[in-house]
Amino acid sequence: MRAKSLPRAVLRTLLPGMQRSSRIAFASGFGLGLLVLLALSVYAVWGPESNPVQAFFTRQETTSLREGLENQRKANLDLKEEVARADELLKLDREERNKLTLMIANLEAENARLKDDLAFFEGFIPGNQEAKSIALRRFQVSRDTVPNQYRYRALLIQSSDNPPANLNVQLLVKVLNNDKPAVIVLPTDPNSSDPQFKIRLTRISKVAGTFVLPADASLQGIELRILEGTSIRAQASTKL
């Protein structure tokens, strides 16, 4: 049988070195291949569902989709990590701003106290009649965080013309104990070596310390005395 798929002239042109029988065989094989390819294409498109040809292309598409999804998942994870890092930096920045704001507020409050102290010190004139005396200023008493414990503080001032002095602190704590008034004298031992009851006064010194009340006692008032020997050099009191 002669191959009619390609003209002889064309075959002779495409296959110049082949014999006539070989050219016919080649043309027949080529035509048969085209028919098989066409049949596979028709079968894949219009044949039964899930046929092998469709399954082959479906597996390729599924693999491609899976690779795309995996790449997208990795990209999403990277993006989430970036967002988490940004949130953490924002949180740290917010905390630092809060700390800075609190620090500024504390510095402003301290600056106000220093201005107040400066105004007082400028009004303390060494040449007046009290130049040889000492003075207690800013006496304050506040409740501590420990139950029944209180804190006290004050400023002790003397003229720069006066020599340094070793002084003692004495507290008279007025309380109601079981509805009965009482006075607690601190320190209980006049010869106590507790540093909060000892002061080396040069020009300005801080007086500060703590005291504890009995469990059933309520604080009514407190008097602070500065002693030189047995003489009272300065005193201040407050009621609560």
Side-chain angles (χ1 to χ4, degrees), residues 150 171-177 180-186 211 213-214 217-225 236-240:
Y150 290 81
L171 296 177
L172 276 64
V173 182
K174 302 175 183 179
V175 299
L176 277 180
N177 196 351
K180 294 181 180 180
V183 177
I184 302 174
V185 180
L186 299 174
F211 61 89
L213 298 183
S218 60
L219 184 62
Q220 300 298 302
I222 181 172
E223 182 178 339
L224 174 63
R225 292 178 177 178
S237 61
T238 184
K239 293 182 179 181
L240 299 176

Side-chain angles (χ1 to χ4, degrees), residues 11-230:
L11 290 175
R12 283 196 299 270
T13 303
L14 293 175
L15 304 170
M18 296 181 64
Q19 296 179 0
R20 181 173 178 274
S21 59
S22 299
R23 290 197 294 270
I24 294 173
F26 173 81
S28 300
F30 183 77
L32 181 61
L34 289 177
L35 290 175
V36 171
L37 181 60
L38 179 60
L40 289 176
S41 301
V42 172
Y43 182 71
V45 175
W46 287 287
E49 294 184 0
S50 303
N51 59 71
V53 179
Q54 287 182 346
F56 173 75
F57 288 106
T58 301
R59 283 195 298 270
Q60 286 186 330
E61 293 175 356
T62 302
T63 302
S64 178
L65 288 174
R66 286 178 179 174
E67 291 177 354
L69 288 175
E70 183 64 20
N71 293 334
Q72 187 64 38
R73 188 184 67 82
K74 291 180 180 179
N76 289 340
L77 289 177
D78 293 340
L79 182 59
K80 287 181 179 179
E81 291 178 358
E82 291 294 334
V83 172
R85 283 194 291 268
D87 289 342
E88 188 65 23
L89 291 175
L90 182 61
K91 181 180 177 181
L92 292 175
D93 183 60
R94 189 181 298 113
E95 291 178 355
E96 290 299 325
R97 286 201 304 268
N98 291 338
K99 290 179 181 179
L100 183 60
T101 301
L102 180 60
M103 184 183 299
I104 291 174
N106 291 337
L107 289 174
E108 289 177 348
E110 182 65 21
N111 189 42
R113 286 193 295 269
L114 291 175
K115 287 182 178 179
D116 201 9
D117 290 342
L118 179 61
F120 168 75
F121 295 148
E122 290 175 346
F124 190 79
I125 304 174
N128 62 20
Q129 59 182 0
E130 297 181 354
K132 299 301 180 182
S133 67
I134 60 178
L136 271 172
R137 296 290 186 270
R138 305 191 182 284
F139 179 42
Q140 297 177 353
V141 179
S142 59
R143 191 185 297 272
D144 204 354
T145 55
V146 179
N148 296 328
Q149 180 167 296
Y150 290 81
R151 290 186 174 273
Y152 66 90
R153 63 179 182 177
L155 287 177
L156 186 61
I157 307 168
Q158 73 169 353
S159 169
S160 58
D161 297 334
N162 291 349
N166 294 316
L167 305 172
N168 297 319
V169 176
Q170 184 183 65
L171 296 177
L172 276 64
V173 182
K174 302 175 183 179
V175 299
L176 277 180
N177 196 351
N178 295 324
D179 296 330
K180 294 181 180 180
V183 177
I184 302 174
V185 180
L186 299 174
T188 55
D189 181 6
N191 298 319
S192 172
S193 59
D194 191 334
Q196 73 170 323
F197 299 113
K198 302 290 183 181
I199 294 179
R200 173 69 174 176
L201 177 61
T202 53
R203 176 70 176 88
I204 302 170
S205 296
K206 288 185 178 180
V207 182
T210 61
F211 61 89
V212 180
L213 298 183
D216 297 329
S218 60
L219 184 62
Q220 300 298 302
I222 181 172
E223 182 178 339
L224 174 63
R225 292 178 177 178
I226 304 299
L227 305 178
E228 187 173 20
T230 57

